Amino acid sequence: MLRPTLSLNLALQGGGAHGAFTWGVLDALLEDGRVRFDGVSGTSAGAMNALVLAQGWLDGGREGARAALRAFWSALAALMPVDVALPAPNGSVRLAPALKLWLLWSHYVAPAQVNPLGLDPLRDLVESQIDFPGLRRHAPFRLFVAATHANSGRLRLFRNAELSADALLASACLPTLFHAPLIDGEPYWDGGYAANPAVFPLLEECATRDTLLVLLTPLGLPPLTPMHTARGIHERVAEIAFTASFRREMQALAHERRAGARRWWPLPRLAGGAARARFHLIEAQAALGHLASETKLAVSMSFFEALHALGRQSAERWLAAHLQAVGRRDSVDLVARFA
């Protein structure tokens, strides 16, 4: 294995089952061995990947992190007693009819009515896979888990000293499907409503200037047409809701970057965080664009493995094309993509 000489922050977007793509990205980066991590910010499935990555690294370094990520996604698949992701003709998957019916009911029935006892097998899984007290004391990276305060709509970032099963489950809580975790008596929902993921803490609180964005939702959305279906409209609403905060943050960073280029002072130490930062990007769109939005709920090990393979391939291409930029320059034009 090559001795790591390059340092990266990671910004891991949420996306339900599509987070297995990010598992593949992390697996390839860990196996390659040329980068180490400083800060990791994650939302929803991105937060799950972030904390499992940190736990595995704490237990056994890079190989421990790889093993922990595989164990987590395997255990997640095993939570479902039947395969709810069925093969589709185009190489994609489709949801089983029972799961589609449950999703339909979720528009009319609250989680407290469907699941009055608050049963949560995901809680048991994360508590069995992650030693939260140990991670709070000895996390190998700076960790930032995003959740949305349901009573105000504000972003709540949980840092190393605040990590808990409640914080992680809050980051991934779709309020129409799951009970909202209470933290200090306050309800929290999926972090995607407020930051998906939060990038600013990586710029403000981490020494490393290079940040790799791992995005599961496309930056460019296809145009709506007059013949767009109701299902398509609902999917677009969800896509906008879960990326609007991230787009605003990146647009602000791109604006600062563009304004900084016009200032007369040349010294980097006088520039803002965005001007000093270097950005890199791995997008899932090219690999996952054929998948329907509903497949973010497809819990199936065969599906996870397929996404993992696509994530590995994307990371390997990024390593071959852009690793040499780390520590030197951007490998994505932030202004062109977000301004």
Side-chain angles (χ1 to χ4, degrees):
M1 180 179 294
L2 297 174
R3 182 185 180 89
T5 58
L6 303 173
S7 184
L8 273 178
N9 298 318
L10 298 174
L12 309 180
Q13 198 169 61
H18 292 186
F21 175 92
T22 303
W23 163 34
V25 169
L26 297 175
D27 194 43
L29 295 177
L30 290 164
E31 184 180 51
D32 180 82
R34 286 177 286 177
V35 296
R36 59 183 178 86
F37 309 124
D38 185 7
V40 186
S41 178
T43 296
S44 194
M48 298 278 178
N49 277 318
L51 266 60
V52 173
L53 167 71
Q55 181 68 59
W57 191 295
L58 181 61
D59 293 339
R62 293 175 181 277
E63 289 306 312
R66 294 184 70 196
L69 285 163
R70 175 164 289 279
F72 172 79
W73 285 95
S74 299
L76 180 60
L79 287 180
M80 193 62 64
V82 296
D83 206 357
V84 297
L86 307 176
N90 64 348
S92 176
V93 295
R94 57 186 176 86
L95 299 187
L99 181 54
K100 288 189 174 183
L101 182 60
W102 178 52
L103 294 177
L104 178 62
W105 286 342
S106 71
H107 289 284
Y108 306 101
V109 183
Q113 297 170 291
V114 177
N115 181 13
L117 299 180
L119 300 178
D120 190 354
L122 185 57
R123 176 180 293 276
D124 297 334
L125 171 58
V126 300
E127 289 180 341
S128 68
Q129 299 270 334
I130 300 171
D131 173 12
F132 288 98
L135 208 55
R136 287 194 293 269
R137 293 191 299 269
H138 305 297
F141 334 114
R142 292 181 181 272
L143 296 165
F144 307 94
V145 172
T148 303
H149 182 229
N151 285 336
S152 68
R154 294 176 180 169
L155 169 66
R156 169 75 184 272
L157 278 180
F158 296 91
R159 293 167 171 81
N160 294 43
E162 304 169 294
L163 297 176
S164 66
D166 281 330
L168 185 55
L169 293 171
S171 184
C173 176
L174 292 173
T176 59
L177 301 180
F178 306 111
H179 287 256
L182 295 178
I183 301 174
D184 298 327
E186 296 291 320
Y188 284 87
W189 289 353
D190 194 298
Y193 295 115
N196 192 18
V199 176
F200 70 88
L202 300 173
L203 308 186
E204 296 175 357
E205 302 180 35
C206 297
T208 294
R209 293 171 57 186
D210 289 82
T211 294
L212 173 61
L213 309 170
V214 183
L215 304 186
L216 302 179
T217 300
L219 293 175
L221 300 173
L224 288 172
T225 69
M227 298 302 292
H228 229 65
T229 64
R231 173 180 167 184
I233 292 171
H234 284 297
E235 289 182 354
R236 177 60 55 87
V237 168
E239 287 172 338
I240 292 174
F242 280 103
T243 60
S245 58
F246 172 74
R247 290 172 188 273
R248 283 195 300 271
E249 183 179 6
M250 298 309 296
Q251 286 168 351
L253 291 172
H255 176 76
E256 183 180 339
R257 175 73 61 89
R258 186 165 53 186
R262 295 196 294 264
R263 296 188 183 115
W264 63 267
W265 58 79
L267 295 179
R269 63 185 176 83
L270 298 178
R276 295 193 304 271
R278 293 180 289 263
F279 288 95
H280 313 277
L281 174 65
I282 295 177
E283 287 186 271
Q285 173 62 13
L288 307 187
H290 66 293
L291 297 176
S293 180
E294 67 177 22
T295 61
K296 293 176 181 179
L297 296 173
V299 180
S300 161
M301 194 60 201
S302 60
F303 185 48
F304 292 165
E305 289 281 15
L307 297 180
H308 169 268
L310 293 171
R312 277 189 60 93
Q313 292 166 12
S314 296
E316 288 164 357
R317 287 193 293 269
W318 180 83
L319 286 165
H322 299 298
L323 184 64
Q324 71 275 12
V326 175
R328 300 179 180 178
R329 61 184 184 276
D330 295 305
S331 62
V332 60
D333 187 340
L334 200 69
V335 173
R337 298 303 297 271
F338 294 101

